[in-house]
């Protein structure tokens, strides 16, 4: 590609030299969207409505060749590069001001091998798309809890969800990845090829390159017994005490994340409970229907819920259960930490802030990360907290920008009250832009090796719009 000059930076982004953009356009099968394009306003948006950035250029790549051309263009022209898959990152790390967004959302092909139970997914897929394809063969891929989250950001940060206790994190089921590196080369990373890169991308985020294709191990079943049970907030202390003992000891077929939340004011939630603060657990049982029903019946009997919405359903239906409540464009501010235990003192803090949820949609969740995820050594992948039992998130959420300050300060205060009881670091996918110390705390003893691998694969830090691991000098 011819060397081109980048124009001046304006308020709305970089004004690229026309020749440079024409050269890139000619190299692409996908789309280029600039600030003057009618599609720009929609294309610049990410899931979190609080993020309001104006990239100079958005490139929707159609294939690996487009990704390589765009990486080469950004590097050769000194353009800030952000990479986007599902756009769900809370801190908005799938976009940037004044740079180039490499958008993978046209790359959504999925291919299932029903013999080896493996699923190959292009780098722009959502978790729902991957699981929709797998479900036709009675299989599921261990991902998160929400349908439209991108497989890219979720997997590269670790990826915990309904299948974690039984099958581990998303990265524990990653067999291979195709990666476009900062120098424009396409390489494969696996246990047999570019092993250091494979180690780093399993938890190290988008720091090392752009993953154009993931190969996952899938597992049966595709049908689960699942859904939420809710209890009165007055019982929350006792329920959290029960949950902290019950969950780690439960069979690994049974997963349940704990929530402090308000009952959403919409069907199928009972009208007389709309808006009431409750505590709850969202269950997912992977075992046979009769065993699942028996296990849930035992819980019901020992702790009769206020109401519940459990039943037999496809795993894909469970992933999209909360879609209508959390459409794109809501304003989010979230923070998190890992926990090895939940003390009575920590529960007291939870109940204090849980009783002050600033808006209807704001909530706190505790996601189990034990079971199979704990059986992997802390240095086997970049994901360090292999002895944690829960990954916590508190999220201030609202549609009204006027409440940004309210949801942000509640989240920060709640987090500050709980942090002293935590394992010390947070899940990288549950962080806002919180600085290098927090990133180091996330990776613990693995941090130093990550900086070495970063220096090898991306010495100039081209991939820096992420929870950035700077290259070792
Ligand atoms: C409603 C909701 C529910 C969630 N539930 C879960 C959950 O259950 N479990 C869980 O683990 N997390 C969950 N998350 C957090 C989620 O994992 C992170 O927000 C993650 O960053 C989203 O990935 P994305 O691809 O959608 O984001 P994007 O904003 O597109 O990207 C996030 C980061 O990943 C990088 N990236 C994305 N794709 C690639 C790629 N192919 N190659 C290289 N780099 C890439 C980007 O550069 C960016 O730095 C949830 C988030 C939301 C909003």
């Amino acid at each position: 590609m011819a060397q081109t000059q980048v124009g001046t930076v304006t308020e709305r982004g970089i004004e690229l030299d026309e020749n440079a953009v024409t050269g890139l356009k000619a190299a692409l099968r996908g789309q280029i969207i600039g600030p003057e394009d009618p599609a720009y306003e929609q294309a610049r948006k990410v899931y979190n409505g609080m993020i309001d950035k104006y990239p100079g250029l958005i490139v929707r790549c159609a294939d690996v060749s487009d990704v390589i051309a765009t990486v080469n263009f950004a590097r050769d022209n000194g353009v800030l590069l952000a990479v986007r898959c599902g756009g769900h990152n809370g801190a908005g790390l799938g976009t940037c001001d004044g740079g180039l967004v490499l958008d993978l959302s046209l790359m959504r092909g999925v291919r299932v091998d029903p013999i080896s139970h493996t699923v190959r997914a292009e780098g722009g897929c959502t978790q729902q798309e991957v699981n929709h394809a797998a479900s036709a063969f009675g299989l599921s891929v261990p991902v998160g809890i929400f349908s439209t989250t991108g497989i890219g950001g979720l997997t590269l940060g670790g990826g915990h969800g309904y299948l974690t206790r039984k099958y581990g994190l998303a990265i524990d089921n990653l067999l291979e990845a195709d990666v476009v590196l900062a120098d424009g080369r396409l390489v494969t990373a696996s246990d047999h090829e570019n092993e250091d890169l494979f180690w780093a991308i399993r938890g190290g985020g988008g720091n090392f390159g752009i993953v154009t294709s993931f190969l996952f191990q899938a597992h049966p079943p595709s049908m689960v017994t699942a859904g939420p049970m809710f209890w009165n907030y007055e019982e929350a202390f006792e329920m959290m005490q029960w949950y902290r003992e019950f969950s780690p000891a439960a069979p690994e077929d049974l997963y349940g994340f704990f929530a402090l939340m308000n009952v959403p004011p919409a069907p199928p939630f009972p009208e007389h409970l709309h808006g009431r603060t409750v505590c709850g657990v969202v269950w997912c049982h992977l075992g046979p229907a009769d065993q699942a029903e028996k296990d849930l019946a035992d819980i019901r009997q020992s702790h009769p819920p206020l109401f519940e919405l459990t039943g037999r359903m496809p795993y894909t239906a469970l992933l999209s259960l909360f879609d209508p409540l959390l459409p794109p464009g809501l304003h989010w501010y979230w923070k998190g930490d890992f926990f090895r235990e939940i003390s009575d003192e920590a529960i007291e803090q939870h109940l204090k802030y849980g009783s002050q949820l600033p808006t209807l949609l704001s909530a706190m969740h505790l996601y189990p990360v034990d079971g199979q995820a704990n059986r992997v050594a802390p240095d086997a992948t970049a994901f360090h907290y292999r002895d944690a039992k829960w990954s916590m998130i508190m999220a201030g959420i609202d549609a009204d920008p006027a409440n940004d300050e309210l949801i942000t300060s509640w989240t920060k205060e709640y987090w500050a009250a709980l942090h002293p009881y935590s394992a010390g670091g947070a899940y990288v996918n549950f962080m806002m832009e919180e600085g290098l110390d927090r990133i180091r705390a996330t990776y613990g003893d693995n941090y130093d090796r990550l900086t070495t691998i970063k220096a090898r694969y991306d010495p100039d830090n081209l991939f820096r719009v992420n929870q950035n691991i700077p290259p070792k000098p």
Side-chain angles (χ1 to χ4, degrees):
M1 180 192 289
Q3 284 293 311
T4 45
Q5 291 300 309
V6 174
T8 49
V9 180
T10 69
E11 221 180 308
R12 301 198 91 199
I14 290 178
E15 264 178 22
L16 287 159
D17 176 89
E18 229 182 275
N19 290 335
V21 180
T22 308
L24 178 61
K25 253 188 197 156
L28 295 180
R29 192 157 70 87
Q31 308 160 354
I32 286 197
I33 301 168
E36 307 312 324
D37 200 303
Y40 178 81
E41 196 46 34
Q42 188 55 36
R44 76 177 181 88
K45 286 185 181 152
V46 288
Y47 180 79
N48 183 358
M50 210 193 273
I51 308 296
D52 186 28
K53 297 200 170 166
Y54 289 85
L57 209 58
I58 298 162
V59 179
R60 287 196 175 138
C61 294
D63 56 21
V64 174
S65 169
D66 281 3
V67 175
I68 292 173
T70 309
V71 166
N72 287 341
F73 172 86
R75 187 196 57 241
D76 292 346
N77 292 287
V79 177
L80 182 66
L81 176 66
V83 179
R84 185 190 305 167
C85 173
H88 265 217
N89 191 271
L93 297 171
T95 185
C96 57
D97 268 326
L100 186 157
V101 172
L102 189 159
D103 182 342
L104 293 161
S105 63
L106 296 181
M107 295 175 61
R108 295 167 110 125
V110 187
R111 184 175 187 279
V112 182
D113 181 341
I115 308 296
S116 62
H117 289 189
T118 54
V119 178
R120 184 168 282 285
E122 280 191 295
C125 289
T126 64
Q127 22 182 349
Q128 183 75 328
E129 288 155 357
V130 173
N131 275 291
H132 177 265
S135 68
F137 305 95
L139 299 170
S140 299
V141 177
V143 285
I145 62 147
F146 198 78
S147 69
T148 53
T149 305
I151 202 77
L154 176 119
T155 302
L156 297 171
H160 57 63
Y162 291 117
L163 271 51
T164 294
R165 297 195 68 233
K166 175 107 178 185
Y167 295 116
L169 303 171
I171 50 169
D172 301 332
N173 295 279
L174 182 64
L175 302 173
E176 190 179 288
D178 289 346
V179 190
V180 174
L181 302 175
D183 62 11
R185 277 183 304 138
L186 175 76
V187 299
T188 296
S190 72
D191 270 336
H192 323 288
E193 256 179 289
N194 298 300
E195 296 91 330
D196 54 351
L197 180 63
F198 191 50
W199 180 87
I201 61 169
R202 285 177 293 166
N207 274 283
F208 305 91
I210 301 178
V211 176
T212 54
S213 169
F214 294 91
L215 182 67
F216 292 104
Q217 186 66 57
H219 307 270
S222 59
M223 287 295 289
V224 297
T225 302
M229 278 183 193
F230 297 96
W231 292 269
N232 278 313
Y233 198 75
E234 292 67 37
E235 298 167 70
F237 197 94
E238 185 199 332
M239 288 310 301
M240 280 189 98
Q241 283 184 321
W242 167 78
Y243 172 79
R244 78 180 171 199
E245 308 299 330
F246 175 83
S247 174
E252 287 174 12
D253 273 339
L254 181 56
Y255 171 102
F257 76 80
F258 190 92
L260 297 177
M261 57 179 287
N262 294 315
V263 177
F269 300 98
E271 212 173 314
H272 68 285
L273 296 177
H274 285 180
R276 191 196 288 190
T277 304
V278 291
C279 65
V281 178
V282 182
W283 302 108
C284 173
H285 200 302
L286 304 176
D290 52 351
Q291 183 62 49
E293 198 31 65
K294 184 184 170 311
D295 288 347
L296 292 188
D298 288 348
I299 297 168
R300 231 173 260 134
Q301 200 183 8
S302 66
H303 294 84
L306 183 62
F307 73 99
E308 64 176 294
L309 297 166
T310 58
R312 197 83 182 141
M313 63 183 82
Y315 173 55
T316 47
L318 177 62
L319 286 178
S320 54
L321 209 58
F322 303 108
D323 286 7
L325 295 176
L326 299 170
L330 294 172
H331 287 221
W332 290 66
Y333 191 90
W334 70 31
K335 276 174 82 76
D337 264 327
F338 285 114
F339 286 80
R340 298 192 180 100
E341 56 186 16
I342 305 169
S343 67
D344 284 354
E345 294 76 22
I347 294 178
E348 276 166 20
Q349 294 300 326
H350 276 300
L351 298 199
K352 177 180 167 195
Y353 289 92
S355 67
Q356 300 166 9
L357 296 172
T359 57
L360 202 62
L361 291 170
S362 299
M364 187 286 299
H365 291 172
L366 282 167
Y367 298 106
V369 285
D370 60 328
Q372 180 56 25
N374 279 177
R375 280 183 212 113
V376 179
D379 60 356
T381 65
F383 189 98
H384 168 70
Y385 277 98
R386 293 296 189 164
D387 60 348
K389 298 280 177 253
W390 289 279
S391 170
M392 173 197 72
I393 189 166
M394 51 271 295
I397 311 169
D398 200 50
D400 188 350
N403 287 330
D404 282 2
E405 174 50 34
L406 183 69
I407 60 175
T408 303
S409 55
W410 172 81
T411 304
K412 285 182 174 168
E413 283 166 31
Y414 191 169
W415 176 85
L418 263 300
H419 184 63
Y421 305 100
S422 76
Y427 176 37
V428 74
N429 277 341
F430 287 171
M431 280 164 58
M432 300 306 272
E433 291 192 88
E434 299 178 31
L436 195 56
D437 284 349
R438 286 283 283 160
I439 294 170
R440 278 173 183 273
T442 287
Y443 294 112
D445 295 340
N446 290 336
Y447 180 79
D448 195 50
R449 184 172 174 200
L450 281 165
T451 63
T452 306
I453 298 173
K454 175 80 172 174
R456 177 159 178 218
Y457 287 95
D458 184 17
D460 297 324
N461 209 1
L462 178 69
F463 304 115
R464 62 182 177 278
V465 183
N466 43 42
Q467 298 294 350
N468 196 229
I469 299 165
K472 194 174 223 165

